[in-house]
Amino acid sequence: MLKGKTVVVGVCGGIAAYKSVEIVSRLKKLNADVHVIMTENATKFVQPLTFRSLSHNPVLVDMFEEPKVWDIQHISLAEKAELIVVAPATANIIGKVASGIADDMLSTTIIAADCPVLFVPAMNFRMYENPVVQRNINTLTDLGYIFMEPESGQMACGTSGKGRLPSPEAIVNYINDLLAKSKDYSDMKVLITAGPTREAIDPVRFITNPSSGKMGYAIAAAACERGASVRLISGPVNLEKPCGVETVYVTRAMEMYNEVMKVYKNYDVLIMVAAVADYRCAQIADRKIKKSDDNLTIELVRNPDIAAELGKVKGDRILVGFSAETDNLLKNASGKLISKNMDMIVANDVTMEGAGFGADTNVVKLIKRGGNIVDLPVMSKKDVAHRILDEILNIKNQNEIDRT
Ligand code: CTP
């Protein structure tokens, strides 16, 4: 299944390193071209010879070892790799990559690579829960690095908690999915809006909403990972620009509308995730408004509905919207799907646990034209992003069948 795919397996110094032996063996059985890079500490747990025998390739540990053939090995492997899997990934390697430290063969290869990098953390549960480690994981996730969650259970150190390496079978299935997905958007151009908009009242005040932008950014990163050419038009958020995504920043709904209308024709898929302000101030005061004893009335005028405008002109493009509701989820979301001429709407009840603004997870229903509904359980925003992209491909394939 993985014939011809070059997978670099990075092995770090943790007791779970013995499980990497089975990961390499399973990848090899699926016909992948497997190259192992070990950290110095990993060699204390497993001999490089074991990996060399299973992968049929030299194992790299030392940056300064005399090369067998002349090339700069961390650069040539970084260029050749279609996926780098770090399993087990220790707190140390996660911290190094998050800080841009490249001081051995593995960290140097990861930092020189432009393919997807999957980290599978394995460590004592207190280390895994440490805010510094979690901050590093979040930093890397925001930059487009991929993390597979560790399992909970009995640990080698005798304690119990979250931090065990998942089974080699589960890791190889995950790798398989990633590589299968890695190119399925390669001929697609995707335009995404994300985050809130801000409507000024005066030079120091504005109207906005609590959208964090996380869902839109997760979709942009996932589409990019799967080979799409992605443009993200983002309102003001506190997130890193996703790696490889062309990102344009706007503030007001009118600016977002103008940016979208300027470029939408060049895109095949339009995903409107932004929480766009429906109204703006009729008049923006050019000096700070001073309080008085009277009440203050601000007149608001309608902003354009970007998704609805796209619905009128979209042609064969696939238009996807979002609907965050507190009441009558299906009725309200389905109404927007039809009235804005969308192909799919992602509906979420923001009052549910695990859903809503700012959360790292979401609970959504994907409603398609014709009434087909995919009901998803609570998932990370990243997994939701991939399920949305999967459904968009199904719509595209169905549209192509309908056209022939
Ligand atoms: N949307 C948009 N431009 C707007 C308002 C909404 O592009 N001015 C898009 C959103 O990005 C989302 C969808 O329309 O994909 C639904 O947004 P939502 O705010 O839920 O719906 P509204 O039509 O504004 O309805 P209401 O606020 O009354 O629920």
Side-chain angles (χ1 to χ4, degrees):
M1 272 191 284
L2 295 178
K3 197 168 172 19
K5 303 274 186 193
T6 302
V7 181
V8 170
V9 178
V11 184
C12 301
I15 181 61
Y18 78 92
K19 293 193 191 168
S20 318
V21 173
E22 193 183 333
I23 297 173
V24 170
S25 158
R26 282 177 177 267
L27 289 172
K28 202 63 200 164
K29 282 192 189 126
L30 294 173
N31 292 317
D33 178 24
V34 187
H35 296 259
V36 177
I37 305 179
M38 301 178 77
T39 63
E40 198 67 52
N41 286 343
T43 64
K44 308 272 194 306
F45 291 90
V46 185
Q47 284 292 315
L49 178 62
T50 310
F51 288 115
R52 194 174 79 202
S53 310
L54 288 170
S55 69
H56 305 177
N57 277 315
V59 172
L60 302 180
V61 181
D62 183 357
M63 290 275 285
F64 302 103
E65 196 184 343
E66 200 56 27
K68 309 281 180 295
V69 280
W70 174 247
D71 64 5
I72 302 173
Q73 301 202 32
H74 63 279
I75 300 295
S76 66
L77 255 193
E79 275 173 3
K80 213 161 103 171
E82 279 155 273
L83 179 72
I84 298 179
V85 185
V86 188
T90 53
N92 188 44
I93 190 77
I94 293 168
K96 282 206 286 193
V97 179
S99 314
I101 296 171
D103 65 351
D104 64 3
M105 188 60 97
L106 182 57
S107 51
T108 313
T109 305
I110 293 169
I111 286 174
D114 71 350
C115 65
V117 179
L118 168 67
F119 288 97
V120 194
M123 63 194 80
N124 166 278
F125 77 97
R126 286 211 182 82
M127 291 175 76
Y128 184 68
E129 283 168 6
N130 187 306
V132 177
V133 174
Q134 287 301 315
R135 184 198 62 200
N136 289 337
I137 291 175
N138 288 336
T139 301
L140 291 174
T141 306
D142 288 348
L143 289 169
Y145 290 88
I146 309 160
F147 278 81
M148 183 174 176
E149 289 232 341
E151 286 180 350
S152 297
Q154 188 73 26
M155 315 199 79
C157 55
T159 52
S160 191
K162 189 170 177 180
R164 278 165 53 98
L165 196 78
S167 72
E169 186 185 3
I171 294 172
V172 171
N173 285 342
Y174 199 98
I175 293 171
N176 215 355
D177 273 5
L178 272 180
L179 284 170
K181 274 180 182 158
S182 71
K183 296 286 171 263
D184 61 359
Y185 266 73
S186 59
D187 59 348
M188 309 265 275
K189 297 186 82 183
V190 181
L191 179 68
I192 301 168
T193 63
T197 61
R198 257 183 209 172
E199 308 300 328
I201 298 172
D202 69 10
V204 295
R205 300 183 182 95
F206 52 79
I207 301 170
T208 189
N209 61 68
S211 166
S212 65
K214 284 182 182 171
M215 192 66 244
Y217 274 58
I219 298 174
C224 184
E225 221 172 75
R226 291 166 73 158
S229 153
V230 184
R231 176 179 280 237
L232 175 65
I233 301 178
S234 172
V237 295
N238 244 327
L239 299 171
E240 294 280 343
K241 166 183 134 39
C243 200
V245 172
E246 208 181 328
T247 309
V248 177
Y249 296 97
V250 296
T251 306
R252 296 177 299 121
M254 278 309 292
E255 289 167 359
M256 188 174 271
Y257 171 75
N258 290 334
E259 280 298 326
V260 168
M261 289 325 220
K262 200 165 77 189
V263 297
Y264 83 88
K265 284 193 179 136
N266 305 327
Y267 291 83
D268 311 299
V269 180
L270 316 168
I271 311 179
M272 300 294 106
V273 197
V276 186
D278 289 321
Y279 298 90
R280 65 179 183 277
C281 295
Q283 224 105 62
I284 303 173
D286 55 3
R287 317 294 302 169
K288 186 180 173 198
I289 300 172
K290 290 305 215 181
K291 69 171 174 292
S292 70
D293 290 339
D294 296 333
N295 288 340
L296 176 69
T297 303
I298 297 173
E299 191 191 350
L300 299 176
V301 293
R302 275 294 304 266
N303 273 326
D305 187 320
I306 305 171
E309 292 305 317
L310 286 174
K312 291 179 197 159
V313 293
K314 76 184 189 74
D316 289 341
R317 294 171 193 83
I318 296 173
L319 176 62
V320 177
F322 272 69
S323 180
E325 305 290 340
T326 51
D327 309 286
N328 300 324
L329 180 66
L330 288 180
K331 186 166 168 276
N332 285 337
S334 307
K336 289 174 194 176
L337 171 80
I338 303 300
S339 68
K340 302 193 192 196
N341 192 27
M342 294 168 172
D343 296 273
M344 180 167 83
I345 193 152
V346 183
N348 72 329
D349 178 343
V350 285
T351 62
M352 273 180 80
E353 191 160 331
F357 296 122
D360 290 318
T361 54
N362 212 346
V363 193
V364 303
K365 295 182 197 307
L366 311 182
I367 310 174
K368 295 200 254 179
R369 283 188 90 82
N372 184 348
I373 299 177
V374 181
D375 211 336
L376 299 178
V378 57
M379 282 176 151
S380 69
K381 285 192 170 166
K382 184 177 169 196
D383 288 344
V384 172
H386 278 293
R387 289 304 309 273
I388 291 168
L389 293 173
D390 292 343
E391 286 306 325
I392 291 173
L393 279 189
N394 289 340
I395 294 172
K396 178 177 178 263
N397 293 338
Q398 189 56 49
N399 288 353
E400 276 162 15
I401 293 168
D402 291 349
R403 277 200 287 272
T404 53

